[in-house]
């Protein structure tokens, strides 16, 4: 059982993995700050993603009052990370923050386009959820279904086609309302057990 504050992933802040990447790209604080405002730079792109994760993290905080637990920047041994992992009565969800400021987003049955340009958001989110489900099922001693979610931040519009899309794509302002309104599938004991496992770094090693 993980001890709070000792290798406890619950202490992670939204965007911590992105912060580490930005420092890795530019160790100099002054050049790093300038890079954040330089459009087209790699640091600017990562900084844009950091804002998206921070906005999503603030929204997910509202779920605490409904019996939910959320972790941020859950890192795999490969270096990749899960932006947000939330556990509550309605189940377990991997949430990928995507900030497409001022852009039109269209979501069909199996693809997302941003201003008409195709992305790989859907297959990446599906793979992340499947991988997480396998790890949690193995470590929790029960089958843990994980649903993928994309949190859309600051987009100009979102148009969703299809009655039952494989990935839940939501504007960030709707995130807490939709998740807390889903049908409960986990008991409080199951939620507590899964939360205990996900916050332990050895789960993801």
């Amino acid at each position: 059982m993980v001890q709070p504050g000792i290798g406890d992933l619950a202490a992670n802040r939204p965007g911590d993995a992105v912060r580490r990447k930005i420092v890795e790209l530019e160790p100099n604080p002054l050049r790093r700050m300038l890079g954040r405002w330089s459009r087209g730079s790699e640091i600017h792109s990562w900084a844009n993603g950091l804002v998206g994760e921070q906005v999503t993290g603030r929204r997910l905080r509202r779920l605490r009052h409904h019996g939910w637990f959320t972790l941020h920047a859950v890192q795999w041994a490969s270096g990749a990370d899960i932006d947000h992992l939330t556990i509550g009565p309605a189940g377990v969800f991997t949430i990928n923050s995507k900030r497409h400021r001022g852009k039109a987003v269209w979501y069909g049955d199996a693809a997302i386009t941003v201003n008409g340009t195709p992305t790989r958001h859907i297959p990446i989110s599906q793979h992340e959820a499947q991988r997480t489900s396998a790890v949690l099922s193995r470590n929790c001693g029960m089958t843990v279904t994980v649903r993928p979610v994309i949190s859309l931040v600051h987009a100009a519009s979102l148009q969703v086609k299809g009655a039952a899309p494989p990935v839940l794509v939501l504007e960030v302002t709707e995130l807490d309302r939709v998740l807390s309104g889903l049908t409960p599938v986990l008991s409080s004991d199951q939620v507590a057990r899964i939360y205990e496992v996900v916050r332990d770094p050895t789960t993801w090693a």
Side-chain angles (χ1 to χ4, degrees):
M1 180 177 178
V2 66
Q3 296 297 315
I6 305 175
D8 186 352
L9 297 184
N12 290 0
R13 299 170 299 169
D16 268 352
V18 178
R19 289 185 183 89
R20 289 192 293 270
K21 179 64 178 180
I22 291 173
V23 172
E24 177 187 316
L25 288 171
E26 180 50 78
N28 183 283
L30 179 58
R31 288 200 293 266
R32 189 163 63 239
M33 182 179 67
L34 294 174
R36 286 172 179 253
W37 298 101
S38 178
R39 289 187 176 276
S41 73
E42 191 173 2
I43 289 179
H44 178 80
S45 176
W46 281 97
N48 183 60
L50 175 58
V51 171
E53 292 192 33
Q54 290 172 323
V55 172
T56 297
R58 285 195 294 270
R59 201 76 195 186
L60 290 171
R61 196 180 304 151
R62 301 184 180 203
L63 287 170
R64 288 186 298 186
H65 305 296
H66 301 281
W68 292 67
F69 300 93
T70 300
L71 276 72
H72 311 283
V74 177
Q75 198 154 1
W76 298 93
S78 64
D81 77 291
I82 303 168
D83 292 350
H84 318 275
L85 179 59
T86 191
I87 309 104
V92 182
F93 300 82
T94 49
I95 301 174
N96 200 332
S97 296
K98 293 296 179 186
R99 188 179 188 226
H100 294 299
R101 186 175 183 179
K103 296 180 180 179
V105 177
W106 180 89
Y107 178 28
D109 287 334
I112 284 179
T113 62
V114 178
N115 277 359
T117 301
T119 72
R120 286 187 46 77
H121 293 349
I122 297 304
I124 289 172
S125 293
Q126 288 178 299
H127 174 72
E128 183 175 74
Q130 290 163 0
R131 186 182 182 190
T132 303
S133 174
V135 167
L136 295 187
S137 296
R138 185 167 63 247
N139 285 275
C140 291
M142 61 181 180
T143 300
V144 179
T145 300
V146 179
R147 293 183 62 186
V149 178
I150 291 175
S151 169
L152 196 60
V153 180
H154 299 157
S157 63
L158 169 63
Q159 188 175 13
V160 179
K161 297 290 186 181
V167 177
L168 195 57
V169 179
L170 300 169
E171 294 185 68
V172 68
T173 52
E174 295 292 300
L175 202 55
D176 55 307
R177 182 188 66 81
V178 171
L179 292 184
S180 63
L182 295 174
T183 303
V185 296
L186 296 176
S187 68
S188 58
D189 286 347
Q190 288 173 319
V191 170
R193 170 58 183 155
I194 296 169
Y195 180 54
E196 179 184 332
V197 170
V198 299
R199 64 194 293 191
D200 186 343
T202 62
T203 298
W204 312 98

